[in-house]
Amino acid sequence: MINPSIEKNPLQIPEIRARVSRLVSLEDAISCVRVSKAWSKDFTSAIWYTVDFNIHRTFKDLDGNIITKHGRHIRTIENIKTQPELNAVLRSTIKNQDVALFSGPSIDAFKHKGVVTLLAPIKQVFQPDPESGLSSLGFSLLVHFPNLIEWHCYNLSAALFVPVERIKTEVTRCCPRVTMIDTWKSPPHIIHSLVANAFYGLKNVTFEYIQLSMDVIVALLFHRETLLRVCASLDSQCSYTERDELPLEGDHFQQSGRAVQLLPRCCPYLKFLEFEGHEMDMDIVEEEEWACRGLQQLRVRIRGLNTKEKVDRTLKLWKEGRQRKGEEDTTFIESHMNEAKDTSIEARVARHLLALEKLEAVWLGTRTFHA
Amino acid sequence: MSAHSQILLTSSEGTEFIIDRDIADKSMLLKCMLEDIGEIGQAVPLPNVSGPILTKVIEYCTHHRDDPNFLSANDDVAADIDEWDLEYCKVDQGTLYELILAANYLDIKPLMDLTCKTVANMIKAKSPEEIRKTFNITNDFTPDEEDQDWVDEH
């Protein structure tokens, strides 16, 4: 004999209806919502649970009221491909729920065509949402900036956040016009990795002088045919390089100073060479001619030019030499200088500077001198 | 054969059933109860389950006794029901209803899934009116409420 208390239709129990609703097909769910009011409630969520743009092509055209009424049931949205579809999905009722968005592989990402400068570390670019895992499809913020030219792309930890090949692929694919990078405080091997392997045809590279190493110089030389500016900046907190006195400063790269000369010797188009943390040795400088005949600005300290007076004298000699050049025949100037046989450090530096005919501004430790 | 401890169950009519402990553990309700109380000499009363239904439920649990996937949630809607399970569900609607209720009460998820899937198959391709007839449901919509064109998104 059946106990009367269980003579009940289990489908009258909402939990059981809800369980069945997860097992029916979409078509059947649509039939079910028409059965009765109670059924309507439980089967509605089954209809709206997953929106797949591959199947529900007219979803984005649905009336706003309808989405407002039922959007709260949406939990999964798949195969978003275009901006209008994304907009349809970003309505407030849907946004407030815990909805998972899955975009198809060909998402037509919104492109900001006007952005030319980006300041964002590698980590942020490749994992824009820190909560989510690293996308295996390989999308990065770079996809939004096709006209990017300048990227302040630092990576402060010891290992690159993503493999350098990945960075290279993204840069090549999304923003091939990047020609200026600034690695800020990134360590030497990171600089090397990025400069040597992630970018092509760089024109402008900035990094922190304290991070300079042989690897960095080698990496820079890969871009010798395109480099216009190399800037080894001092600690960003130091804005004291324009000063009246010449303080005694060390140079961590002194032992390998010779290597720094490779830059002006091998980069023929270099216009700006900024190495304020470095102290050049004129003996080494004079070993070989600098190829960058178009150099416009030089910022470096010179070994031996260790007082303000010496620096001032050097700049004066340079200035005078330029004026004479403007007025008279060049051959006369050269012989004049050779006659003097002035082997003082000031004269040697001035001779070197005069050879660079396009030079407009020089900093030798105190203040920038403009010709 | 290892010695399983045994459990005594009593149906709503008072019929007694002796089953092995591991079969009883398929029901989360019984499992938790037995873990909390430990071995009890007395029978566990099940006032909500009749003898015939309890027999059916035990039959299901015994058949799936060694099934490794039994306790892991199978939410794969598209997975086909295996043959034995299909035959098992070939019962009249009243029995099917009682099985659902028993599986719900005893908290045996795989049996819930199976019986609900069976219901889902009964709904398949039916119109609302046909569904109402099958499950004996009253239409409580007013005529203009029935007109829900938002459903045409499909």
Side-chain angles (χ1 to χ4, degrees), chain A residues 222-236:
Chain A
F222 288 144
H223 300 265
R224 64 184 177 279
E225 290 300 317
T226 49
L227 267 181
L228 300 178
R229 178 171 181 252
V230 180
C231 173
S233 62
L234 294 174
D235 190 315
S236 50

Side-chain angles (χ1 to χ4, degrees), chain A residues 6-14 16-17 39, chain B residues 93 97 100-101 132 134-137:
Chain A
I6 60 164
E7 178 128 61
K8 199 165 36 163
N9 185 340
L11 291 175
Q12 286 170 348
I13 303 176
I16 294 180
R17 259 205 308 271
W39 277 54
Chain B
Q93 198 163 323
Y97 282 3
I100 298 177
L101 292 168
R132 286 186 205 117
T134 310
F135 298 102
N136 205 15
I137 305 184

Side-chain angles (χ1 to χ4, degrees), chain A residues 33-52:
Chain A
V33 294
R34 290 180 159 146
V35 167
S36 73
K37 282 185 181 164
W39 277 54
S40 175
K41 248 197 238 163
D42 291 305
F43 284 86
T44 300
S45 61
I47 297 178
W48 289 85
Y49 192 90
T50 303
V51 174
D52 183 339

Side-chain angles (χ1 to χ4, degrees), chain A residues 117-164:
Chain A
T117 305
L118 176 67
L119 197 157
I122 306 276
K123 180 168 184 189
Q124 186 182 16
V125 166
F126 285 88
Q127 191 179 37
D129 176 8
E131 305 277 307
S132 72
L134 211 52
S135 161
S136 60
L137 290 172
F139 292 109
S140 68
L141 285 182
L142 297 180
V143 79
H144 300 291
F145 309 119
N147 293 328
L148 196 65
I149 291 175
E150 182 178 327
W151 182 13
H152 298 249
C153 56
Y154 54 96
N155 188 105
L156 300 183
S157 60
L160 263 179
F161 187 70
V162 288
V164 73

Side-chain angles (χ1 to χ4, degrees), chain B residues 126-138:
Chain B
K126 288 199 166 76
S127 73
E129 187 50 44
E130 287 164 346
I131 296 176
R132 286 186 205 117
K133 279 217 189 76
T134 310
F135 298 102
N136 205 15
I137 305 184
T138 332

